Amino acid sequence: MRFLWPDLLWLQLLLPLLVALYFYALARRKKAAIRYASLSLAKAAMGPGQRLRRHIPPLLFLLATGAALLACARPTATVTLPTDTLTVVLAVDVSRSMQAADIAPNRLVAAQMAAKRFISELPSNVRLGIVSFAGTAAVVQTPTDNRQDMVDAIDRFQLQRATATGSGLILALSMLFPNDGIDLESVIFETPSARAGRRAVPLDQAAEAAKKKQKPLQPVLPGSYTSGTIILLSDGRRTTGPDPLDAARMAAERGVRVYTVGFGTQQGAPIGDEGWSFFARLDEPTLRAIAQMTGGEYFLASSEADLSSVYRNLNAKFSMERKETELSALLSAAAAILLTMACVLSLLWYPRTR
C-alpha cells in the first residue's frame, strides 16, 4: 500500500488524543458518581458484561475516525479485479516452416487445434481479432465476440513463403488503434520489396510521407494500455519485412503488451518440398526481447498441449488483472458503517431519559 497524500498521515496522531480524552472523561465521571454504601453492590448490579459493553460504542467511534483519517491520505494498493472489455489480437505465423512435423501432425494443424481451444475458453469480456503473417501480413478476422467467426478464421490459414514477423506485429497494432493512421506500407516504405513496381521516391520524401500519415504520438509507459493486447505466435526467424524490434517499440510507445509464443522444438526440424529444403529453428532471443520491451511475457510451446496450456494461462490473465486502485472510497464506507454502528448501539444500550 502507498499513499497519494502521505503528509496527511500525521492526522492519525489525533487518535491517541481521543483515547486520552476518553479516559479523562471516565475519570471525571468516577469522581462525580453517587457514592454507594457498598461498592461491591454496585459492581454486582452492573455485571461484567455491562462494564465491558459500555466501551464498545466509543471503540467503534475510534475505529471509524481512524478509517476516515486514513482515507484522507488517499491510500492505493495493487489488487486483482475483473477486467473491462478487452480486445486481443492473435498474430499467427503461417510461413512454410509451420509444416514441420516435429509437433504432430504438423505445427500448423497443432496451432489451429490449440487456437480453437483458446477460443472456446475465452472470457466473455474479450473480443478477438486474428492476423496471419508470412511474406506479408493479412487480417483474417477483425475483432469480434462471435466464436464461430473466430473458428472459421482459424480454418482459413494457408501456408506461404517467408516470415515477416514485424509486419504481423504492426498489422495487429493497427487493428487495436484503427484511428492512429498506422499504415503497414508506410512503415516498410524504405524496403526494396515495398518499392518494387512503384515509382521511385527519394528516401527522405518517403519517410516524410509516412510520418504525415500517422497521428502525433505521445509515448506512454509500456504495458499501461488496458483495453487491448497482442499474442504473437511464431516458429522461426524473420526473413523479410520490418524489424520486429522496431514494431515492438511502436507497441511499447502505445502501452500495448505483447505476449510472444515460440512454437516448436528447440532442436528445430528440417523442411523440404518440391526440391528445396531448410532447417526451421526458433528465434527465441527476438521473441523474448519483444515481450520484455512491451511489458509482456514469453512462452515456449514444444507441443500442442504446451500451447493449450499457454493459452489457458493467458485466458486467466485476460479475465482478471492486477491494477493499482485507490482505497479511499472503501475506507470512507467502512468509517460510515462503524460510526452508524456506534450511534445505534449507544442509543439502544443507553437511551437518554428526561
Side-chain angles (χ1 to χ4, degrees), residues 102-104 110-111 114 262-265 300-310:
D102 55 343
I103 299 177
F263 191 48
T265 58
L300 173 64
S302 301
S303 66
E304 181 193 337
D306 287 347
L307 185 56
S308 295
S309 178
V310 168

Side-chain angles (χ1 to χ4, degrees), residues 17 36 45 51-52 70 76 83 102 111 124 130 135 144 176 215 240 244 264 266 269 277 291 315 317 324 337 354:
L17 179 60
Y36 287 92
R51 292 198 301 272
L52 177 64
L70 196 61
T76 64
T83 59
D102 55 343
S124 58
I130 302 173
T144 179
L176 290 178
K215 287 186 176 182
T240 188
Q266 291 181 311
S277 64
N315 269 331
K317 291 179 182 291
E324 189 171 22
I337 293 172
R354 293 184 179 180

Side-chain angles (χ1 to χ4, degrees), residues 153-235:
I154 295 296
D155 288 333
R156 289 197 295 269
F157 286 164
Q158 292 184 350
L159 294 175
Q160 301 172 32
R161 294 182 183 274
T163 303
T165 310
S167 296
L169 186 51
I170 292 170
L171 192 59
L173 194 60
S174 69
M175 195 178 289
L176 290 178
F177 299 92
N179 299 320
D180 275 17
I182 301 175
D183 185 1
L184 180 58
E185 288 190 0
S186 297
V187 174
I188 61 177
F189 211 95
E190 303 170 10
T191 64
S193 59
R195 295 199 303 268
R198 185 182 299 176
R199 182 174 59 86
V201 179
L203 188 60
D204 56 345
Q205 293 182 21
E208 187 65 26
K211 288 181 181 178
K212 287 181 178 180
K213 286 186 178 181
Q214 295 189 16
K215 287 186 176 182
L217 175 66
Q218 183 67 36
V220 298
L221 289 175
S224 59
Y225 183 69
T226 59
S227 298
T229 191
I230 297 172
I231 303 173
L232 178 70
L233 183 146
S234 180
D235 74 330

Side-chain angles (χ1 to χ4, degrees), residues 247-260:
R249 196 168 293 109
M250 293 175 61
E253 289 174 349
R254 290 166 172 80
V256 177
R257 296 179 189 270
V258 181
Y259 296 94
T260 56

Side-chain angles (χ1 to χ4, degrees), residues 102 107 264-270 279-282:
D102 55 343
R107 293 179 182 178
T265 58
Q266 291 181 311
Q267 297 79 13
F279 201 81
R281 179 170 291 171
L282 281 172

